[in-house]
Amino acid sequence: MDLKYVQTTCPYCGTGCSFNLVVKDGKVVGTQPYKRSPVNEGKVCPKGTYAHEFVNSPDRLTKPLIKKDGKFVEATWDEAYDLIAQKFKSYKPDEIACLSSARVSNEENYLLMKLARGVFKTRHIDHCARLCHASTVAGLAASFGSGAMTNSILDIAESKCVFIIGSNTFEQHPLIGRKVMQAKLNGGKLIVFDPRYTPTAKQADLYASFYSGTDVAILNCLMGEIIRNGWEDKEWVSKRAKGYEELKATVLKDDYLPENVEKISGISAADLKTAAEWIGTAESSALLYSMGITQHTVGVDNVKSTANLQMLTGNIGKRGGGVNALRGQNNVQGACDMGALPVVFTGYQKVIDEAVHKKFADAWGFPDGICEPKNGYEVTVMFNVLTDNPGELKAMYIMGENPMLSDPDLNHAEHALKNLEFLVVQDIFLTETAQHADVVLPATCYAEKEGTQTSTERRVQMWRKAQDPPGEAKVDWQILCEVAAAMGYADQFPYQSAEEIFNEIAAVTPSYHGMNYERLSRPEALHWPCPSEDHPGTPILHIGKCSHPDGMGVMHPIEWKPPAEVPDAEYPYILTTGRCIWHWHTGSMTRRSATLDNEVPTGWIEINPEDAKALGIQDKEMVRAASRRGEVTVEAKVTDEIKKGVMFMPFHFAECAANKLTNNALDPIAKIPEFKACAVKVEKITEA
């Protein structure tokens, strides 16, 4: 028997925990603690504990599939590549779109971006950051000049006041929750505002429930109270911020007095005043948020408001402070860093900048050039174009994304995919999206390849190969190189290893310039920006100055606006969505992990007891939930842990897909959909 441990990084959330994969006779069979990681110190959440269980799932894709007469038949790799090349050569660049993935490595995101812009010559590339943290990238970049989490996970433990809004941290990022508890043990206060009384809320010194979609009103109220009481950091604001007077004029309006915001938000005036005092008087205050802030038609406004609060109190560029945007998936930060977005190359270098465009064209050396220097379509816009203007986009290449479960208004998403002439999906399972494909390419999971991923705190860490892929499945970067070769561009994709790809990334990306595999293989790895090989990395951004050219932070006066869809007589309840601790995203990995799936085998809708009584609904009863976009049959969970008038559904479960109900109304800047607030009705199933 051959037994070994292979240290790697968790493939689930953005925390970036490390563990050892246990490999027996060449197969991954378990996980064991890796105690040298400074992020998780050997601890992992349930998903990390069982992150081996899906790896050798019997329904892993093992051979290329081509759809003939509506049914998939097995094919050779050469047949699949020949068909892809023939089809993609027949389309104009603007008729092609690509979706990259927050699940694959930096190297693979970079290569799909290069394939899209260099081989297909298309400007239309995006990935699921559009659906989770596009507003973070846009909002924080406008405020600070950089669209990333400002602080490290470790220094949250030093905060004297942790304010969590729009994040169920203890279930979604449990090892970050551990740092929050360490802050409490060190004497820090914990404030949690959430429509649900979550496991995170249960640890709070001050918890208040509020109506989803009222975040700007709440944050403006806190800032108004801080200014009225003289708790703002006058020195920080005077030396490092622009726009203070305009912000002050907005937040001091009567609209944002605690008594008025109580009526909008449902949080009592007394609790708003207490929160303002704790944040305003704390030696350091860290703000943590996730998709409860970002997934709104005012997502960018929400993010700018969090930045306003932290600048006002001088909590930018200091330990225990910061705007800590907790990224959802394992490599959503890295996929953004790699330019898998329609407006930037790697390191957020703008595609419309002629000098940047020339830099990449020269570095890549395509004899016929690369895509034009124009912004492309966001994924949400791609799907609107496919439904509203069929024929404009004709072909799509999707790597490791599952929009048929993750996108809002799934009927709309299905309509969009059916309007494609040709769809390629590269994945490890035959997902709901892959079932719509014309060609399916069997790829590899995190345990079967080398590479890097970038966590929510900008820490770039290693994956290490623990076993061979199943059957004829291939590593994602190898597939992309072979597709490029089939298209006639083998010379531009000459890579023999993930490390060679990373070295190219470092060469063209200023924030990664000082990184290499040797430096990243250490337990602590490196945080970007890391501009040179003697640079130690940057755990905390904006020390001394922000990332704008003049070094200043920008305060934005923001007025509160209600969600795009509010309750009415026909649809009287607010629906919000999220995750549970046992499952991840569309469930393609966790629902194939027997231990996790046994804990929570299907979805539910949370209903306040008063609402349930009015509807005549009992706990565990199957009910019909409907919005203007669709309906699902789902089990009712009657609980006083959700606010009256608000309902909640997890979005992991295809059989009761929350996203059949959600609204695809978009934030005008980030083009992120409003997953966190839509109007629904819930009915008894009388025929049952």
Side-chain angles (χ1 to χ4, degrees):
M1 183 178 73
D2 178 37
L3 193 68
K4 64 179 179 179
Y5 282 3
V6 177
Q7 187 252 319
T8 194
T9 310
C10 184
Y12 285 114
C13 82
T15 305
C17 297
S18 296
F19 50 71
N20 287 310
L21 286 170
V22 182
V23 185
K24 178 183 173 186
D25 295 333
K27 290 288 180 190
V28 169
V29 296
T31 66
Q32 282 292 307
Y34 174 77
K35 296 185 177 179
R36 292 182 63 199
S37 164
V39 178
N40 60 309
E41 300 170 308
K43 309 285 193 292
V44 284
C45 79
K47 290 183 285 287
T49 302
Y50 300 105
H52 62 286
E53 287 191 344
F54 74 87
V55 170
N56 291 303
S57 184
D59 62 340
R60 282 286 301 274
L61 291 169
T62 58
K63 291 193 172 193
L65 303 173
I66 293 175
K67 193 171 278 176
K68 294 179 180 174
D69 301 321
K71 292 188 175 165
F72 284 119
V73 295
E74 291 182 354
T76 67
W77 279 101
D78 285 343
E79 286 170 332
Y81 290 146
D82 288 347
L83 179 57
I84 292 167
Q86 172 206 326
K87 286 287 191 179
F88 275 90
K89 283 177 180 176
S90 73
Y91 296 117
K92 297 172 187 169
D94 261 6
E95 295 174 337
I96 299 170
C98 294
L99 295 186
S100 200
S101 175
R103 312 232 47 80
V104 306
S105 69
N106 287 321
E107 292 79 357
E108 290 156 343
N109 277 296
Y110 174 78
L111 279 204
L112 185 63
M113 187 270 291
K114 184 173 179 177
L115 185 82
R117 291 186 165 129
V119 174
F120 301 151
K121 317 292 185 201
T122 184
R123 41 195 189 96
H124 306 314
I125 176 167
D126 204 2
H127 74 288
C128 70
R130 185 69 44 206
L131 308 178
C132 60
H133 273 281
S135 359
T136 289
V137 176
L140 295 187
S143 297
F144 305 131
S146 168
M149 178 169 165
T150 65
N151 284 53
S152 77
I153 292 168
L154 302 189
D155 74 86
I156 293 170
E158 298 178 29
S159 181
K160 294 306 174 191
C161 178
V162 179
F163 176 30
I164 301 178
I165 182 168
S167 167
N168 179 9
T169 314
F170 285 55
E171 285 200 86
Q172 308 324 321
H173 301 90
L175 274 297
I176 296 178
R178 187 166 176 258
K179 295 300 167 194
V180 173
M181 292 307 292
Q182 288 171 359
K184 277 196 72 172
L185 290 170
N186 291 334
K189 292 266 206 280
L190 174 58
I191 304 166
V192 178
F193 287 176
D194 195 300
R196 302 169 67 222
Y197 189 50
T198 63
T200 311
K202 289 169 187 173
Q203 301 300 326
D205 299 295
L206 173 64
Y207 164 69
S209 67
F210 69 97
Y211 296 115
S212 185
T214 59
D215 308 85
V216 166
I218 293 164
L219 292 162
N220 279 354
C221 176
L222 298 179
M223 287 185 274
E225 280 297 289
I226 286 165
I227 292 170
R228 273 188 286 273
N229 286 282
W231 295 324
E232 75 274 22
D233 188 327
K234 296 176 181 65
E235 183 181 5
W236 202 102
V237 170
S238 65
K239 290 182 177 176
R240 294 196 51 189
K242 297 192 293 193
Y244 170 67
E245 292 301 329
E246 294 84 353
L247 175 73
K248 180 179 174 182
T250 298
V251 302
L252 288 180
K253 286 181 178 177
D254 287 353
D255 299 10
Y256 303 117
L257 287 168
E259 294 73 20
N260 292 329
V261 172
E262 176 176 343
K263 294 171 194 158
I264 297 169
S265 69
I267 301 177
S268 74
D271 284 347
L272 289 164
K273 289 176 180 177
T274 300
E277 182 176 358
W278 288 4
I279 293 165
T281 60
E283 181 187 331
S284 59
S285 180
L287 190 150
L288 278 60
Y289 75 76
S290 193
M291 293 183 292
I293 283 286
T294 59
Q295 289 181 329
H296 295 271
T297 49
V298 292
V300 174
D301 284 354
N302 288 348
V303 170
K304 287 177 177 174
S305 297
T306 67
N308 288 341
L309 176 63
Q310 293 305 85
M311 284 188 277
L312 183 68
T313 53
N315 278 299
I316 296 300
K318 73 191 284 188
R319 294 191 72 81
V323 179
N324 299 287
L326 308 183
R327 306 302 293 258
Q329 298 205 63
N330 59 315
N331 202 30
V332 71
Q333 182 66 57
C336 293
D337 296 347
M338 294 303 104
L341 296 168
V343 297
V344 290
F345 291 102
T346 65
Y348 309 96
Q349 301 172 83
K350 291 187 169 70
V351 299
I352 58 172
D353 184 316
E354 295 281 357
V356 168
H357 187 270
K358 183 178 186 306
K359 168 185 167 176
F360 279 87
D362 291 348
W364 289 345
F366 285 92
D368 49 357
I370 64 173
C371 67
E372 56 186 335
K374 288 167 66 176
N375 292 337
Y377 287 154
E378 299 85 357
V379 58
T380 43
V381 175
M382 292 175 196
F383 277 64
N384 285 343
V385 168
L386 282 166
T387 51
D388 301 341
N389 192 20
E392 182 183 337
L393 289 173
K394 295 178 178 175
M396 188 175 276
Y397 194 113
I398 299 178
M399 173 175 69
E401 294 274 275
N402 189 12
M404 271 307 302
L405 208 50
S406 62
D407 277 33
D409 187 356
L410 289 179
N411 291 326
H412 174 264
E414 184 171 24
H415 183 193
L417 288 182
K418 284 181 174 175
N419 279 347
L420 283 166
E421 289 181 12
F422 189 67
L423 173 62
V424 178
V425 173
Q426 178 173 319
D427 215 317
I428 60 174
F429 295 113
L430 193 67
T431 62
E432 290 79 5
T433 302
Q435 289 166 30
H436 287 269
D438 298 286
V439 179
V440 177
L441 303 177
T444 46
C445 75
Y446 79 107
E448 295 153 355
K449 55 188 168 187
E450 309 286 325
T452 60
Q453 68 177 46
T454 306
S455 74
T456 187
E457 60 172 349
R458 296 168 285 103
R459 193 189 295 262
V460 183
Q461 296 170 282
M462 301 289 297
W463 284 344
R464 292 173 180 85
K465 182 179 175 181
Q467 69 168 42
D468 288 330
E472 295 177 21
K474 293 187 179 187
V475 177
D476 290 85
W477 66 258
Q478 182 186 350
I479 297 171
L480 297 173
C481 289
E482 290 171 356
V483 169
M487 294 284 291
Y489 296 97
D491 289 350
Q492 285 71 37
F493 286 73
Y495 315 101
Q496 298 300 308
S497 68
E499 185 172 11
E500 287 183 14
I501 304 166
F502 189 87
N503 291 340
E504 182 173 312
I505 293 166
V508 296
T509 313
S511 54
Y512 281 62
H513 202 55
M515 297 185 189
N516 56 49
Y517 272 24
E518 183 182 354
R519 296 190 75 194
L520 296 178
S521 65
R522 300 177 309 200
E524 64 278 11
L526 288 164
H527 297 79
W528 69 255
C530 179
S532 61
E533 289 194 8
D534 58 356
H535 193 282
T538 313
I540 301 176
L541 295 176
H542 317 310
I543 295 174
K545 62 178 184 176
C546 292
S547 299
H548 285 301
D550 63 2
M552 301 293 278
V554 181
M555 292 176 155
H556 297 87
I558 307 285
E559 297 283 5
W560 172 70
K561 304 181 199 75
E565 185 177 77
V566 295
D568 58 17
E570 188 179 1
Y571 296 95
Y573 301 100
I574 301 169
L575 176 73
T576 190
T577 65
R579 300 183 174 111
C580 69
I581 194 169
W582 303 100
H583 284 294
W584 197 248
H585 211 53
T586 65
S588 57
M589 299 191 306
T590 52
R591 297 193 78 187
R592 289 174 172 88
S593 299
T595 307
L596 299 174
D597 203 48
N598 287 342
E599 289 288 343
V600 178
T602 193
W604 66 91
I605 185 166
E606 289 180 15
I607 306 175
N608 179 277
E610 289 183 52
D611 293 328
K613 186 176 179 183
L615 293 165
I617 287 169
Q618 305 293 316
D619 188 40
K620 298 194 183 325
E621 180 180 345
M622 295 302 290
V623 298
R624 183 182 294 112
S627 73
R628 289 177 174 85
R629 290 154 295 281
E631 63 178 49
V632 294
T633 302
V634 62
E635 184 179 287
K637 182 178 180 180
V638 179
T639 172
D640 58 7
E641 293 180 353
I642 188 136
K643 193 170 187 68
K644 183 175 182 287
V646 181
M647 298 187 180
F648 167 85
M649 284 181 70
F651 57 76
H652 317 292
F653 305 98
E655 67 276 16
C656 48
N659 283 327
K660 282 192 173 171
L661 310 179
T662 49
N663 192 358
N664 65 351
L666 304 180
D667 179 288
I669 298 168
K671 302 295 193 289
I672 193 169
E674 189 142 59
F675 287 104
K676 288 295 183 273
C678 72
V680 296
K681 61 183 175 184
V682 173
E683 305 164 328
K684 287 181 77 71
I685 301 175
T686 48
E687 58 267 29

